[in-house]
Amino acid sequence: MTENDDKEHIKVSKKVKSMQMFHRPVPTAMQGDRLGICVTQFDPKLLERGLVCTPDSLQTIHAAVISVKKIPYFKGSLHTKAKFHITLGHETVMGKVMFFSVPPPHLNQEGPTDHFDFGKEYLYQDSYVTKDSEVDKADGPRGDELLPKQQWALLEFEKPVTCPRLCLVIGSKLDTDIHSNTCRLAFHGVLLEVAEEKNYSETFLPKLKVFKMKRKEGQVERVNDDYSVIGRSLFKKETNIQLFVGLKVTLSTGEEGAIEGSFGQSGKFKVRIPSESM
């Protein structure tokens, strides 16, 4: 039993002695039934309005990872760090979102829909990606092959919410003018992974491997030998270049190589280019 109030979750397990439906005894009940139950040794003053359920079927959570799909009738954009009204279980709470997907070249791969893999790395998105995303318009239209097959969202709730596992999640903009001719339902998804700890930023978030794509440009200072060049203007003098060893570099002539290490003390670096690229 869980009280539907942020002040207290009593989390008490008691035996159901009997059940009645329209004053007739019944041995079982299912979702949607209107039921009277007799619970042994329970003080009714503890529960004014709340949830009665099978033990361990509900969880009280502070954050969650969900699968996410935009509702086509919603005309606005879905931006990371935006706040939405999040409906899950029997509650609607305010939550902040962060969108992410698998990185290229795996955009067309589809994984399981009933769980989330913390072992993989994911690409941070400024917003949910669609063909009409504003972020794509500057680079021309986005083809289907460049659209991620799956997208996810991290939800962080302003207050804890009690809900079932793998439940439906709906994100809405309920503060939109009800007289405007617009859809207020923004996205939907399924609850995949949850953080029940209040300090989830220390226990849950570090498990989520989300990175941002960054691009920097430098200059080739000179050719070092047949298979390497010396570059500059990519790092500051004090930068620890060892942190970037192995990262890919593409030359303006089309060859691809990898950072091999620093060269001198002024921020210059060596790029090794495989023989097949030359």
Side-chain angles (χ1 to χ4, degrees), residues 3-274:
E3 186 179 358
N4 196 12
D5 192 328
D6 7 326
K7 293 182 180 179
E8 183 183 7
H9 292 84
I10 60 178
K11 295 184 178 178
V12 173
S13 295
K14 293 292 182 181
K15 183 178 180 180
V16 175
K17 185 176 180 180
S18 62
M19 300 186 297
Q20 287 189 355
M21 193 181 303
F22 301 107
H23 304 291
R24 292 184 179 181
V26 292
T28 60
M30 60 184 297
Q31 185 176 1
D33 289 342
R34 188 175 183 88
L35 194 71
I37 61 174
C38 176
V39 180
T40 59
Q41 299 178 344
F42 178 70
D43 183 359
K45 293 180 182 178
L46 293 176
L47 188 69
E48 179 180 350
R49 182 181 180 184
L51 302 172
V52 179
C53 61
T54 302
D56 301 324
S57 62
L58 293 181
Q59 53 199 342
T60 299
I61 63 177
H62 296 264
V65 171
I66 69 167
S67 62
V68 62
K69 289 186 179 295
K70 183 178 180 181
I71 294 175
Y73 299 105
F74 183 77
K75 300 305 181 184
S77 298
L78 306 181
H79 292 292
T80 284
K81 297 183 180 180
K83 290 185 177 182
F84 292 85
H85 294 85
I86 309 297
T87 301
L88 63 171
H90 295 269
E91 299 186 57
T92 297
V93 298
M94 291 299 296
K96 183 174 67 173
V97 301
M98 179 188 76
F99 297 101
F100 57 95
S101 65
V102 293
H106 309 296
L107 296 178
N108 288 321
Q109 294 182 5
E110 281 195 81
T113 57
D114 59 350
H115 71 273
F116 179 78
D117 189 352
F118 280 110
K120 294 182 178 180
E121 293 185 337
Y122 299 91
L123 177 63
Y124 173 93
Q125 296 176 177
D126 289 321
S127 61
Y128 181 90
V129 176
T130 68
K131 284 184 179 180
D132 301 321
S133 296
E134 291 183 5
V135 69
D136 303 317
K137 289 181 180 178
D139 301 321
R142 178 186 285 267
D144 288 342
E145 70 280 358
L146 297 178
L147 281 173
K149 290 286 186 181
Q150 288 179 293
Q151 296 182 62
W152 295 270
L154 170 69
L155 304 180
E156 297 182 78
F157 306 115
E158 290 190 351
K159 65 176 185 178
V161 56
T162 300
C163 61
R165 305 178 190 279
L166 291 175
C167 68
L168 173 67
V169 179
I170 298 176
S172 311
K173 282 291 188 181
L174 299 181
D175 48 356
T176 305
D177 183 3
I178 61 173
H179 300 293
S180 62
N181 185 22
T182 182
C183 176
R184 298 193 294 169
L185 304 181
F187 61 84
H188 66 94
V190 174
L191 196 71
L192 299 178
E193 294 288 343
V194 302
E196 298 185 71
E197 310 88 358
K198 191 172 184 180
N199 63 332
Y200 69 90
S201 60
E202 301 171 11
T203 60
F204 181 78
L205 295 188
K207 297 191 298 180
L208 187 58
K209 303 172 185 177
V210 177
F211 67 92
K212 293 183 179 181
M213 295 284 283
K214 289 189 176 181
R215 176 178 175 177
K216 296 188 68 176
E217 293 186 1
Q219 296 176 337
V220 173
E221 183 174 75
R222 62 183 174 86
V223 175
N224 187 52
D225 55 41
D226 290 343
Y227 302 108
S228 66
V229 298
I230 305 301
R232 60 181 175 86
S233 304
L234 192 61
F235 303 108
K236 295 180 180 179
K237 180 180 179 180
E238 60 273 16
T239 300
N240 180 7
I241 297 178
Q242 288 302 312
L243 297 174
F244 301 90
V245 169
L247 293 186
K248 188 173 76 171
V249 173
T250 302
L251 304 183
S252 59
T253 50
E255 294 92 346
E256 291 187 349
I259 296 176
E260 192 173 60
S262 59
F263 186 84
Q265 304 296 319
S266 60
K268 296 179 183 179
F269 57 96
K270 181 187 290 187
V271 175
R272 170 66 59 178
I273 302 174

